[in-house]
Amino acid sequence: MAQTPMDSPAGPGRQGKLLLTGGVSSIDGAAGGGLTPWAVIAGPGTEGQWGVTAHVSRLKTQKYGLTTYGAAFGWDDRLELSLARQDFDAGVVVPDTTLKLDIVGVKLRVAGEAILDADTWRPQVAVGLEYKHLEPGSAVGGVLDAVGAKRHGVDAYVSATKLFLAQGVLVNGTLRATRANQNGLLGFGSVEHPNYKVRPEVSVAWLLRRDLAVGAEYRAKPDNLAFAGRAFREDAWRDVFVVWAPSKHASLTLAYVELGNVVGQKNQRGAYASLQLAY
C-alpha cells in the first residue's frame, strides 16, 4: 500500500487520509464496513479539516431487497454525524409492504490515531450512538404490537480499529448494545426480551494496493422475537467484500452477504453493491 497521503479538499497544502483508510458507508450510515461501524471518521479530512460523504446501497437476496441511502459529515477526524434511510421490500411476506427505517448517528473518536499509531499496538477507538425510527405500515405494525416490539430505539457502540500499515491489514472490533430486531426493521425489543443485549461485530480488510481492498465481516445480533415462532428467529450477518477507490472522491463496494433466517425465509444470501462519493 502506498504511504503517500492524498491531497485534501479542505484547502491548499493540506493533506487528507490515505485511500480506503476512512472505510466506506455502512448500511446504518456510519463510516466503516458495509455491515458494521469502525472507529474511523467519515470523509477524507484529517485534523482540523472537514469531510462529507454520500452513499447509495442495494442488497438483494432470494426473497428480499434492501435499499439504503444517506450522508455523513466528519470534522477534525474526531466527530461524525450521519443520516441514513433503509427501505426494505417485505412484499414476499406482506404484499405491497416496504419497511422504512430512519437512522441518525453520532460518533466520537476518543483515543488513538490509525495512521500515527500504525507502528504500535494502540488502536483508534470511537464511541457512537444510533437513533433508529421504524415506519412498519399497518399490517406489520400490528404484528410488532402483538409481540411488544417498539417502533424506535437507540444503539450504543464502541469500536476499536487497528491499521497495520506495513502489512496493509486493517482489523476492527465493535461491541454494540442494542434491542434492535433485524437491525430495527422488525422494531426494538419484545415483551419477552425488553432489555439491551451486547453483541460483537468484527471486520478484517486486506489492502491489496492503495486503491483496492478485500475483506470479511461478522455481525452478531440479538434474538428477541424467537419466542413468537421459528419464523422470527434471527441469525448473525456475515459478508465478504471488495472495495475499489479510483480516487479520493469515490469508492465502489461489492459483497456477497449471508443474512440467515429473515422473517420465515431461511438461508437468505445475495449480492450487495454500494457507491460512495466523498468531498
Side-chain angles (χ1 to χ4, degrees):
M1 174 179 168
Q3 298 188 25
T4 302
M6 59 186 180
D7 295 332
S8 167
R14 304 298 293 273
Q15 294 180 331
K17 298 172 184 172
L18 300 176
L19 282 175
L20 297 177
T21 59
V24 297
S25 298
S26 72
I27 59 172
D28 289 339
L35 295 182
T36 181
W38 299 351
V40 299
I41 300 300
T46 57
E47 184 176 351
Q49 304 173 4
W50 57 268
V52 178
T53 63
H55 80 278
V56 59
S57 305
R58 177 66 177 172
L59 169 64
K60 187 69 176 68
T61 69
Q62 302 98 314
K63 300 294 185 180
Y64 296 111
L66 175 69
T67 301
T68 303
Y69 49 93
F73 172 83
W75 167 248
D76 197 31
D77 199 26
R78 183 167 298 277
L79 176 66
E80 174 185 296
L81 303 174
S82 60
L83 296 171
R85 158 64 73 93
Q86 295 180 5
D87 292 335
F88 183 76
D89 180 5
V92 68
V93 177
V94 182
D96 301 318
T97 296
T98 298
L99 308 179
K100 300 180 182 297
L101 185 67
D102 293 312
I103 305 169
V104 179
V106 59
K107 183 197 301 182
L108 179 68
R109 178 170 63 88
V110 295
E113 206 286 330
I115 301 298
L116 295 180
D117 293 332
D119 295 329
T120 74
W121 285 96
R122 184 185 185 190
Q124 182 167 316
V125 179
V127 295
L129 295 173
E130 293 175 348
Y131 171 78
K132 303 181 178 182
H133 177 76
L134 174 67
E135 299 175 18
S138 58
V140 176
V143 175
L144 298 183
D145 291 340
V147 297
K150 306 299 183 181
R151 286 171 168 75
H152 59 86
V154 177
D155 286 2
Y157 65 87
V158 56
S159 295
T161 301
K162 180 59 192 172
L163 174 63
F164 300 94
L165 191 58
Q167 294 79 19
V169 174
L170 183 146
V171 180
N172 180 82
T174 294
L175 288 177
R176 181 187 298 265
T178 181
R179 298 189 302 167
N181 309 318
Q182 296 291 4
N183 195 43
L185 290 167
L186 289 182
F188 303 85
S190 68
V191 65
E192 292 284 335
H193 300 285
N195 298 322
Y196 277 84
K197 297 178 181 178
V198 177
R199 292 293 182 264
E201 304 172 7
V202 179
S203 302
V204 178
W206 180 24
L207 300 163
L208 301 176
R209 61 190 195 209
R210 69 185 303 268
D211 63 345
L212 186 67
V214 297
E217 298 178 284
Y218 172 86
R219 177 173 173 174
K221 308 204 316 300
D223 198 13
N224 297 324
L225 300 179
F227 74 93
R230 295 182 62 183
F232 291 95
R233 180 175 56 83
E234 188 168 352
D235 295 323
W237 290 350
R238 51 182 61 86
D239 72 14
V240 292
F241 63 84
V242 57
V243 184
W244 176 49
S247 78
K248 62 189 176 185
H249 299 301
S251 65
L252 176 65
T253 303
L254 301 175
Y256 169 77
V257 182
E258 293 186 349
L259 304 180
N261 186 72
V262 181
V263 196
Q265 306 298 319
K266 298 180 180 179
N267 301 320
Q268 290 300 293
R269 57 176 65 96
Y272 170 86
S274 180
L275 174 65
Q276 175 182 281
L277 302 178
Y279 180 79

